[in-house]
Amino acid sequence: MTKRKVIKLGGSVWEQLDARYFEEWKAWVETGNELLIVHGGGPLLSSYCEQEGIKPVFRNGVRVTTDGVLLGARRILAGEVQSGIVQQLNQAGIPAVGMSGLDGASVHGKTIKGLGAVGQITHIHPRLFTVLSTNGYVPVVTSLVTGEQGVLNSNGDACAIAVAKAWSVDRFELLTDVEGVKVNGDYQSEITSAAIEAAIASGEIYGGMIPKVEAMMQATQHGIPEVVIRSGKNALATGTQIKEELHECTTTHLSTY
């Protein structure tokens, strides 16, 4: 039976990616399963903006996307970063195709007031993902999306989760720079959302780890069967699977797809 998997790959993680992931992904596809990769590239976009003299502006931790930033996102995320990922996947024997949410109007968003061309995902049309994957290709997607009046830049994690939900995946993986979720001094093989929330409240989970685990909890709330955070630097580490308690409701939705 064919299985579907979405991987969210951060831009900084890609630069340190364990090459054994290529073998893992190739085996997944060659056994008849389907794979889609959503990638970021924030550090390179920040470098581009610095080189171009574009002063970064953040509101509530979100980068304001001006016309200059949006141009950079199109050049860096949908250009330099994506072409590099696609090239390396193809060299590893994984037939990859680069695309964004603009292609086939696959991912739609609405403008978030006060943030420029930043888009909140509203709905997904997954047909193009299916056409590519059922013909043996791996879509490599960046989070530029179709807005009501033009291109919008969306949060990569939110885009990946929305795609995973709409595409009805069996597994969602976040590849990051840590081996999983650490509680009581140890990385956990499994952890519930309730335990994560308690660890955040106690300060055991802090800083940049908070948005990562919050994104993973959101994925479980959307009913994705397997949600795992893994180290991009170590393909042998199994990571941490995020689970809901059996009595918890999993009917939260991202809007209409």
Side-chain angles (χ1 to χ4, degrees), residues 13-138:
V13 174
W14 172 254
E15 297 170 2
Q16 309 172 67
L17 189 71
D18 184 342
R20 288 173 292 193
Y21 273 111
F22 294 129
E23 299 172 12
E24 179 181 310
W25 298 341
K26 184 178 180 181
W28 176 270
V29 174
E30 288 183 343
T31 52
N33 296 311
E34 299 174 8
L35 174 67
L36 184 149
I37 297 172
V38 178
H39 71 86
L44 283 177
L45 178 56
S46 295
S47 296
Y48 168 88
C49 291
E50 184 177 350
Q51 291 169 6
E52 295 295 314
I54 301 172
K55 185 178 179 180
V57 178
F58 290 86
R59 295 198 180 112
N60 298 321
V62 179
R63 186 201 303 267
V64 175
T65 299
T66 62
D67 289 344
V69 173
L70 184 60
L71 177 60
R74 298 182 77 160
R75 288 177 173 175
I76 301 301
L77 303 184
E80 181 180 337
V81 175
Q82 187 170 89
S83 62
I85 294 173
V86 168
Q87 179 187 15
Q88 289 195 44
L89 289 171
N90 285 326
Q91 286 178 340
I94 303 168
V97 177
M99 60 175 290
S100 73
L102 305 173
D103 293 295
S106 299
V107 184
H108 286 250
K110 65 178 181 180
T111 304
I112 301 176
K113 187 177 180 180
L115 294 176
V118 174
Q120 178 181 351
I121 306 298
T122 55
H123 54 280
I124 308 286
H125 297 300
R127 183 172 179 270
L128 183 56
F129 306 148
T130 302
V131 169
L132 290 170
S133 62
T134 55
N135 282 282
Y137 294 98
V138 174

Side-chain angles (χ1 to χ4, degrees), residues 178-193 195-196 199 204-205 209 213 227-231 237-243:
V178 296
E179 292 194 4
V181 180
K182 183 181 284 189
V183 175
N184 298 323
D186 295 314
Y187 287 112
Q188 306 296 305
S189 59
E190 295 182 354
I191 191 169
T192 65
S193 293
I196 289 174
E204 196 166 10
I205 294 177
M209 193 64 186
V213 295
V227 177
V228 183
I229 183 167
R230 299 177 67 186
S231 169
T238 57
T240 302
Q241 183 170 354
I242 316 297
K243 291 191 170 186

